[in-house]
């Protein structure tokens, strides 16, 4: 029984504890729910307030947007109204103008109708008078026929025969006088045009020399240019083909060469070497190589400047290079570029005087001697070669014909051709413009070099000492010392056989061997 009572008491205790726990849990849940309801109410209240605020902002923004769109719309409407008003004003002006024109045309039509009626009246009157005159004329002719015993046709034939011989003699005399007067006038006009053209073209002397003077800051530089035992000056001469004359002239040395390109390369190279201060054979070769590239660029620049100065456009780049090379060419001692510029200006002025295209004439005048530019000798005359180049690079037929016909190698087919021929003669015939002796001298030096290049193993050949020495540089791999000696003899014999020259020609063959390695 005690055990049962204890069990019952335990069960009652458990039931009471469970009831108490449930009661506390319900109270706690009730508090949590109440708190959550309060939080939810607060959140809902805040959301409503924020929603009202957002709603007010959006309404305000919508109103502002509406006002802005309304303002823009009003501006557009005002602009359209203004355009419509302007259009209506123009239409009213046009209508007024058209009304005025219509009234004017009506008045003109009325005047024209009145004049036409008057014209028809006068025409009828004149026709009536003409009929009366014809009747009177026929009556008079019949009376004359009766009196003379000849018909009108017979009388006309007799009169024509009697006057024919007199008319022929008078006509021949008149034709002869007209032809003589035309010849005299044409000659006078041609002389006038040529004289005016020459007077309007002022040009400097264009005669080329074969020496250049290189000025030095002091005579001490001469020793550095010569080098130890003359090795520097020999290296410069070998690299450029120019004879360097160092004499007692203070602060100057002379560069002598018939080829102006070589002379310019030597002058610029010396200037760079003297400015830099490092003068030795390896440096000399490097500077000469760079200077040659610089001269090529300068040639293109000279060509561009020339065509711009003369106002010539659309010239092929290859022809621009050829024009630049003209600066370093001469014809009978006359600088080729200066001569061509002068001919171009003369052609432009003369073409303008004759009513032709001056720009096309300038183009033909500038290009007329491009056939003289190539270094290599050719059997084709320079005028034909220049014409072929012009055709190749897309020049007009009139320009090509003017180039080819300026020495009468081809037939002239345009008026530009005689103009170029005349202007070329004017430029070359000026006193002091050309020297025949210089051209033959330069040709002799070129022939000397060509003979040397005709032998195998020759790398370079330079005619120096005014043609009294031919310096030949050979390839050391192909020509040994013994062959170099034989080559010198063979070249001298060839010169002696094929050429005519004053004095003696010394042939110097130079063979140089170099061993170059690089330490890394």
């Amino acid at each position: 029984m005690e055990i049962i009572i204890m069990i019952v008491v335990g069960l009652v205790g458990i039931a009471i504890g469970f009831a108490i726990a449930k009661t506390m849990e319900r109270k706690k849940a009730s508090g949590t729910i109440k708190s959550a309801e309060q939080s939810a109410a607060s959140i809902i209240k805040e959301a409503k307030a924020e929603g009202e605020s957002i709603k007010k902002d959006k309404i305000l923004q919508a109103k502002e947007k509406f006002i802005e769109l309304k303002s823009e719309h009003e501006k557009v409407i005002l602009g359209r109204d203004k355009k419509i008003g302007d259009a209506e004003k123009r239409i009213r002006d046009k209508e007024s103008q058209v009304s005025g024109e219509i009234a004017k045309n009506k008045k003109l039509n009325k005047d024209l109708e009145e004049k036409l009626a008057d014209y028809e009246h006068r025409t009828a009157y004149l026709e009536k008078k003409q009929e009366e005159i014809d009747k009177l004329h026929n009556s008079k002719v019949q009376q004359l026929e009766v009196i003379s015993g000849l018909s009108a046709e017979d009388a006309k034939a007799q009169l024509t025969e009697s006057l024919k011989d007199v008319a022929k003699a008078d006509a021949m005399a008149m034709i002869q006088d007209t032809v003589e007067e035309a010849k005299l006038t044409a000659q006078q006009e041609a002389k006038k045009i040529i004289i005016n053209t020459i007077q309007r073209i002022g040009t400097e002397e264009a005669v080329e020399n074969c020496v250049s003077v290189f000025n030095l800051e002091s005579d001490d530089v001469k020793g550095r240019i010569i080098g130890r035992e003359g090795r520097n000056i020999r290296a410069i001469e070998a690299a450029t083909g120019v004879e360097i004359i160092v004499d007692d002239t203070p602060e100057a040395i002379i560069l002598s060469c018939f080829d102006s390109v070589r002379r310019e390369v030597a002058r610029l190279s010396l200037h760079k070497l003297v400015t830099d201060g490092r003068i030795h054979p390896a440096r000399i070769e490097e500077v000469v190589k760079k200077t040659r590239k610089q001269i090529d660029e300068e040639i293109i620049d000279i060509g561009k400047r020339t065509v711009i100065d003369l106002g010539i456009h659309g010239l092929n780049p290859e022809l621009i290079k050829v024009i630049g090379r003209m600066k370093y060419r001469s014809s009978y001692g006359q600088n080729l570029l200066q001569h061509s510029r002068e001919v171009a200006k003369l052609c432009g002025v003369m073409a303008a005087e004759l009513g032709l295209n001056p720009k096309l004439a300038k183009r033909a005048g500038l290009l007329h001697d491009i056939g003289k530019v190539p270094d290599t000798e050719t059997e084709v005359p320079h005028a034909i070669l220049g014409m072929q180049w012009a055709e190749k690079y897309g020049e007009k037929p009139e320009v090509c014909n003017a180039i080819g016909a300026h020495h009468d190698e081809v037939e002239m087919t345009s008026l530009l051709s005689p103009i170029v021929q005349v202007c070329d003669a004017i430029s070359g015939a000026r006193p002091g413009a050309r020297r025949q002796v210089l051209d033959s001298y330069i040709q002799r030096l070129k022939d000397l070099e060509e003979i040397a290049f005709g032998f195998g193993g020759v790398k370079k050949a330079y005619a120096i000492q005014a043609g009294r020495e031919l310096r030949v540089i050979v390839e050391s791999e192909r020509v040994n010392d013994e062959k170099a000696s034989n080559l010198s003899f063979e070249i001298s014999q060839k010169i002696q056989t094929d050429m005519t020259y004053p004095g003696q020609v010394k042939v110097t063959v130079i063979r140089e061997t170099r061993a170059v390695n690089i330490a890394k």
Side-chain angles (χ1 to χ4, degrees), residues 229-240:
E229 298 177 356
R231 67 172 188 170
N232 289 346
I233 198 169
R234 285 198 302 271
I236 296 171
E237 289 180 345
T240 60

Side-chain angles (χ1 to χ4, degrees), residues 94-110:
K94 286 289 183 182
E95 289 177 351
S96 175
Q97 185 178 357
V98 169
S99 300
E101 290 292 334
I102 290 172
K104 186 177 179 182
N105 287 334
K106 286 182 179 178
K107 185 179 179 182
L108 289 174
N109 286 334
K110 185 177 179 182

Side-chain angles (χ1 to χ4, degrees), residues 297-309:
E297 294 173 358
E298 184 180 346
I299 283 171
I300 297 173
D301 187 54
I302 290 168
K304 289 180 180 178
R305 288 203 306 269
T306 300
V307 297
I308 289 171
D309 290 345

Side-chain angles (χ1 to χ4, degrees), residues 316 319 367 370 383-397 399-401 403-404:
N316 189 283
L319 289 180
L367 299 175
I370 58 175
I384 302 297
L385 182 60
M387 181 179 71
Q388 292 172 354
W389 278 12
E391 290 173 347
K392 178 180 177 182
Y393 296 120
E395 289 299 315
K396 292 184 178 180
V399 176
C400 298
N401 180 255
I403 295 170

Side-chain angles (χ1 to χ4, degrees), residues 17-53:
F18 181 76
I20 293 170
K22 281 289 184 181
T23 303
M24 291 179 68
E25 186 176 353
R26 283 176 184 173
K27 287 182 178 180
K28 185 177 182 182
S30 177
T32 303
I33 290 170
K34 192 178 287 186
S35 175
E37 288 176 351
Q38 291 176 355
S39 298
S42 176
I43 291 170
I44 291 169
K45 186 178 180 181
E46 290 178 358
K48 285 182 178 180
E50 188 175 353
E52 288 295 330
S53 176

